[in-house]
């Protein structure tokens, strides 16, 4: 389909990204899937290529261009290549805005050069065993003690959790103040009392390390407070729309890729003496999916344009997140059906996509929570 989202510099950047992904990532995917995480060499290679921290000021080693379309290009190329475990979307799309907008000058000097070079891998720890989409339900505490915070609690389902060097931890600095008592602290690797649990065994995205994190009287220097104390919930609400848009972008890219592969399969696979694409039911299925995917891409691109202009609303980000992720799930399921028994074999991309994409309707806020956000915005 014709897209009006990108300009010449984005398409030139796409060529750079595609070359990098093909050379540095694709040959190692199976190795990383078996290991449960990618290599640090891949992160450093991405940093050397200028693929980390697009919007970070160039004085810290970043690209110095605050244009989310570059993020979109990188995210789309990862999906197109079937690389589901490299955590750059989390690093670039989700963590970077917190560091860029909230870090003070001293913190930027400490963290951003390594963030952009790939030496410092980042994560954000929101979810707890008893608190997922309901961020006001978190129980992790960080109590001020002189020039330090004493951090106690547990997080789970944390992407980049095993490999991360910097973790933005959502914690209660005032347990009695409700959402106004939530703050953000940056916990660094090897701080005493900071422990990582097992690398969680998931049904998909096998090479994306996802961990449990434990904090036992971790003494976090007060200078690692990100932003103002008590404003953490506000910061989360401000940054979640970009996170949700990023998930939507990956979802529609996945649906597009799998639909194209399925169209090729239906041209080549024969049954009863003719290609299965010649059967009316197959054509109707493909026609319906092609229409839905095109509509989804138009909405996704519109949301990206709004975001670049600083106009993406919370409601539209929620719409993009839930509808595009549910669309991707639905399209991949139907494409797998058209592949027949071969679709159930993990050597086929549709099978891997089926497993990798299932979490999209859950992380970043479940579909049900997205609908609740939209419903409330309508006055209900």
């Amino acid at each position: 389909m014709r897209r009006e989202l990108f300009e010449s510099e984005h398409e030139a950047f796409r060529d750079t990204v595609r070359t990098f992904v093909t050379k540095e990532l694709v040959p190692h995917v199976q190795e990383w899937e078996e290991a449960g995480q990618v290599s640090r060499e891949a992160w450093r290679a991405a940093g050397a290529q200028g693929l980390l921290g697009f919007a970070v000021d160039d004085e810290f080693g970043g690209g110095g261009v605050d244009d989310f379309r570059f993020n979109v290009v990188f995210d789309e190329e990862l999906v197109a290549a079937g690389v589901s475990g490299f955590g750059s979307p989390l690093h670039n799309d989700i963590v970077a805005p917190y560091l860029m907008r909230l870090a003070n000058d001293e913190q930027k000097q400490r963290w951003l050069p390594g963030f952009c070079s790939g030496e410092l891998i980042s994560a954000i720890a929101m979810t707890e065993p008893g608190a997922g989409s309901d961020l006001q339900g978190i129980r992790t505490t960080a109590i001020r003690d002189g020039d330090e915070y004493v951090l106690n609690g547990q997080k789970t389902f944390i992407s980049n959790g095993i490999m991360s060097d910097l973790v933005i931890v959502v914690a209660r600095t005032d347990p009695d103040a409700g959402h106004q008592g939530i703050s953000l602290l940056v916990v660094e690797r090897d701080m005493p009392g900071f422990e990582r649990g097992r690398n969680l065994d998931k049904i998909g995205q096998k090479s994306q390390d996802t961990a449990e994190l434990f904090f036992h009287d971790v003494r976090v220097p007060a200078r690692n407070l990100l932003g103002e104390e008590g404003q953490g919930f506000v910061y989360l609400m401000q940054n979640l729309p970009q996170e949700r848009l990023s998930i939507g972008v990956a979802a529609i890219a996945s649906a597009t890729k799998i639909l194209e592969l399925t169209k090729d399969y239906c041209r080549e696979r024969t049954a009863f003496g003719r290609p299965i694409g010649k059967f009316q039911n197959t054509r109707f299925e493909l026609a319906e999916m092609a229409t839905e995917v095109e509509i989804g891409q138009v909405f996704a691109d519109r949301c990206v344009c709004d975001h670049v202009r600083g106009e993406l609303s919370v409601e539209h980000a929620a719409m993009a997140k839930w509808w595009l992720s549910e669309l991707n799930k639905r399209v991949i399921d139907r494409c797998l059906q058209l592949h027949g028994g071969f679709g159930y074999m993990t050597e086929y991309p549709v099978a891997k996509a089926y497993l990798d994409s299932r979490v999209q309707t859950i992380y970043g806020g479940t579909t049900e929570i997205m609908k609740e956000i939209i419903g409330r915005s309508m006055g209900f």
Side-chain angles (χ1 to χ4, degrees):
M1 64 172 290
R2 181 171 62 88
R3 300 170 67 186
E4 300 178 351
L5 176 63
F6 302 113
E7 299 175 18
S8 58
E9 59 263 36
H10 303 108
E11 296 302 345
F13 179 66
R14 187 181 297 278
D15 292 337
T16 298
V17 171
R18 187 171 295 163
T19 299
F20 169 80
V21 171
T22 301
K23 179 181 177 182
E24 301 289 347
L25 304 185
V26 171
H28 305 290
V29 166
Q30 188 56 44
E31 167 193 341
W32 294 338
E33 292 275 303
E34 294 171 0
Q37 63 185 59
V38 304
S39 67
R40 284 190 170 270
E41 288 75 16
W43 280 92
R44 289 192 287 268
Q49 193 64 46
L51 300 180
L52 302 177
F54 305 128
V56 174
D57 291 343
D58 54 12
E59 67 177 291
F60 303 114
V65 181
D66 190 3
D67 182 346
F68 189 69
R69 288 175 291 181
F70 288 103
N71 300 54
V72 171
V73 168
F74 196 6
D75 296 349
E76 288 181 344
E77 289 304 310
L78 289 174
V79 172
V83 181
S84 60
F86 188 59
S88 59
L90 169 63
H91 197 73
N92 285 331
D93 303 357
I94 299 174
V95 175
Y98 287 93
L99 297 180
M100 290 166 49
R101 297 168 188 169
L102 302 177
N104 58 38
D105 290 342
E106 185 275 332
Q107 291 171 334
K108 288 179 179 178
Q109 291 287 348
R110 266 198 293 152
W111 296 327
L112 288 180
F115 180 93
C116 295
S117 70
E119 297 293 332
L120 296 180
I121 299 171
S122 65
I124 184 165
M126 302 184 203
T127 304
E128 299 181 1
S133 297
D134 179 15
L135 294 174
Q136 297 189 59
I138 67 167
R139 301 178 63 181
T140 297
T141 60
I143 305 303
R144 185 71 179 256
D145 182 22
D147 292 332
E148 299 174 317
Y149 288 92
V150 181
L151 180 66
N152 283 283
Q154 176 182 352
K155 300 292 183 177
T156 194
F157 309 143
I158 308 305
S159 299
N160 286 358
I162 296 295
M163 299 187 69
S164 56
D165 304 289
L166 299 176
V167 183
I168 300 175
V169 178
V170 182
R172 290 193 175 278
T173 46
D174 186 345
D176 300 319
H179 72 272
Q180 295 180 336
I182 294 176
S183 303
L184 306 181
L185 292 173
V186 177
V187 175
E188 300 177 64
R189 176 176 287 277
D190 297 330
M191 282 186 171
F194 172 31
E195 300 176 3
R196 303 163 203 266
R198 60 197 174 96
N199 193 347
L200 299 171
D201 187 13
K202 310 181 299 293
I203 65 171
Q205 298 194 10
K206 292 286 190 177
S207 54
Q208 169 70 78
D209 59 304
T210 305
E212 301 169 307
L213 305 180
F214 301 94
F215 308 97
H216 304 288
D217 292 330
V218 182
R219 302 193 76 86
V220 182
R223 67 185 185 128
N224 279 27
L225 175 69
L226 196 59
E228 297 181 19
E229 186 175 296
Q231 294 298 302
F233 188 78
V234 174
Y235 300 145
L236 292 169
M237 293 303 102
Q238 291 172 341
N239 285 299
L240 278 169
Q242 178 164 304
E243 175 178 349
R244 289 165 177 163
L245 178 58
S246 174
I247 295 169
V249 164
I252 192 63
S254 173
T256 299
K257 173 195 173 183
I258 297 304
L259 178 58
E260 289 302 313
L261 291 176
T262 302
K263 286 159 59 177
D264 292 340
Y265 180 84
C266 290
R267 293 186 185 101
E268 298 167 1
R269 177 67 173 172
T270 59
F272 302 102
R274 54 177 171 161
I276 62 173
K278 295 293 186 180
F279 291 96
Q280 186 184 68
N281 179 71
T282 303
R283 293 200 305 273
F284 280 11
E285 286 284 322
L286 292 171
E288 289 175 9
M289 288 189 284
T291 304
E292 290 181 292
V293 167
E294 182 133 357
I295 292 169
Q297 188 68 74
V298 169
F299 182 60
D301 287 357
R302 173 197 157 180
C303 287
V304 172
C305 286
D306 287 348
H307 187 49
V308 170
R309 292 193 300 265
E311 299 173 0
L312 179 65
S313 67
V314 171
E315 306 87 68
H316 281 166
M319 290 177 184
K321 197 275 174 185
W322 89 258
W323 196 79
L324 294 172
S325 63
E326 292 286 352
L327 171 63
N328 185 35
K329 183 175 71 172
R330 184 168 65 251
V331 166
I332 291 176
D333 184 70
R334 292 161 78 183
C335 286
L336 191 152
Q337 184 72 21
L338 289 175
H339 277 75
F342 291 102
Y344 201 63
M345 302 297 109
T346 55
E347 64 193 83
Y348 277 72
V350 67
K352 185 175 186 299
Y354 182 84
L355 296 172
D356 286 343
S357 66
R358 184 59 185 86
V359 73
Q360 290 177 335
T361 63
I362 300 171
Y363 61 19
T366 64
T367 291
E368 293 74 21
I369 294 297
M370 297 303 98
K371 292 179 180 178
E372 182 69 14
I373 291 170
I374 299 162
R376 288 182 181 180
S377 76
M378 298 167 66
F380 295 104

